[in-house]
Amino acid sequence: EEIPEWRGITTPHGELKVREFGPHNGPLIIAVHGMFDVQWIRDEWNPIALELAKDGFHVLVPDFHSGPTEYRPKTMQNEDFAKLAEDLAHNHDGFVPSRYRTKASPRMIVMGKSWGGRMAAAAAAYSDQVIAAVLVSPAFTPKIAQKLLPEIKAPVKVALLMVEDDTFVKIRRGEKFRNMLGVETTYFTAPTGGHRIVDEFTEPIMKFVDGVRDSFAQNVEL
């Protein structure tokens, strides 16, 4: 299966490269990579993005290492990502036609692994356009987790996925994160794979995303 080429898009701070999967008019998902500037981490979401595209979703996978300094993983703050996610939805969502935007803002799911998991949680906490978040081995300090996770409010739903032999985000943190979340949470663990998006995560993520698909619909008179 062919992986889309990177293309440059305009953001408030300059050009950012993204890969775009699936139909433009499908429900929007933003998938955020981990902290480190290596190709396999940039590519980790590709297999799941391909499957989501087959199911009719529109998936954006940004390369934040290619972007402006303000969006680099060691620089971007939680609130900054939440604003960027809303900007991406405003300019690149095709599910809500632009002529209806005054009555219906685009909604989205945000997925993230490691550092990207923290960014996804931030978007879920600070943007009312996020309907669900997928957090894979999210890299929080205890202080950030205690501040951020309780800010995620219903009706947002969360999927939390951990790997039992992950030595970077250890499995015992998963239950702590789960207890901090005050919203409906799907929890899934894989036995091996380390600090990666393992193949075993594909099925539960697909099932979770399909389960919130109806939340993209908006009851407004258009």
Side-chain angles (χ1 to χ4, degrees):
E1 292 171 288
E2 188 172 348
I3 302 297
E5 295 293 328
W6 296 108
R7 70 179 185 90
I9 62 171
T10 302
T11 73
H13 290 289
E15 185 177 273
L16 177 69
K17 291 181 181 177
V18 301
R19 280 185 170 133
E20 194 166 6
F21 299 76
H24 181 69
N25 63 351
L28 180 65
I29 299 176
I30 300 173
V32 188
H33 59 65
M35 169 71 74
F36 298 109
D37 187 3
V38 294
Q39 193 60 43
W40 71 264
I41 290 179
R42 287 183 177 85
D43 293 341
E44 269 197 291
W45 283 112
N46 290 350
I48 292 176
L50 286 168
E51 293 301 312
L52 289 166
K54 290 178 189 176
D55 206 22
F57 288 93
H58 177 208
V59 186
L60 293 180
V61 182
D63 172 12
F64 288 105
H65 298 292
S66 74
T69 300
E70 292 86 351
Y71 296 149
R72 300 291 174 93
K74 293 183 179 179
T75 306
M76 185 155 51
Q77 301 300 308
N78 296 337
E79 293 84 353
D80 297 332
F81 177 76
K83 291 177 183 177
L84 175 61
E86 290 183 348
D87 181 79
L88 292 174
H90 178 76
N91 289 298
H92 301 282
D93 173 76
F95 187 72
V96 178
S98 57
R99 63 186 180 275
Y100 298 141
R101 295 293 177 82
T102 57
K103 294 183 178 180
S105 296
R107 293 178 175 177
M108 60 187 138
I109 296 170
V110 185
M111 311 190 301
K113 176 249 181 174
S114 192
W115 170 80
R118 177 161 65 87
M119 294 297 104
Y126 300 135
S127 172
D128 60 7
Q129 293 176 230
V130 175
I131 62 170
V134 176
L135 314 180
V136 176
S137 303
F140 302 108
T141 64
K143 184 177 181 180
I144 290 176
Q146 289 168 3
K147 176 183 178 182
L148 194 58
L149 294 179
E151 290 298 314
I152 301 175
K153 308 292 187 184
V156 176
K157 295 182 174 65
V158 174
L160 175 61
L161 301 99
M162 306 286 293
V163 182
E164 292 175 16
D165 69 353
D166 188 341
T167 58
F168 185 71
V169 180
K170 295 184 178 180
I171 187 67
R172 64 176 180 268
R173 294 194 199 176
E175 281 297 332
K176 293 180 180 179
F177 296 157
R178 192 179 180 186
N179 291 336
M180 293 176 192
L181 287 160
V183 297
E184 182 179 337
T185 302
T186 299
Y187 186 52
F188 183 86
T189 63
T192 61
H195 195 57
R196 290 176 178 262
I197 302 172
V198 297
D199 291 343
E200 292 93 328
F201 288 166
T202 301
E203 184 177 347
I205 288 175
M206 294 294 295
K207 184 177 180 180
F208 172 78
V209 169
D210 189 60
V212 300
R213 185 193 287 262
D214 288 348
S215 297
F216 282 96
Q218 303 190 49
N219 295 320
V220 296
E221 292 186 12
L222 299 178

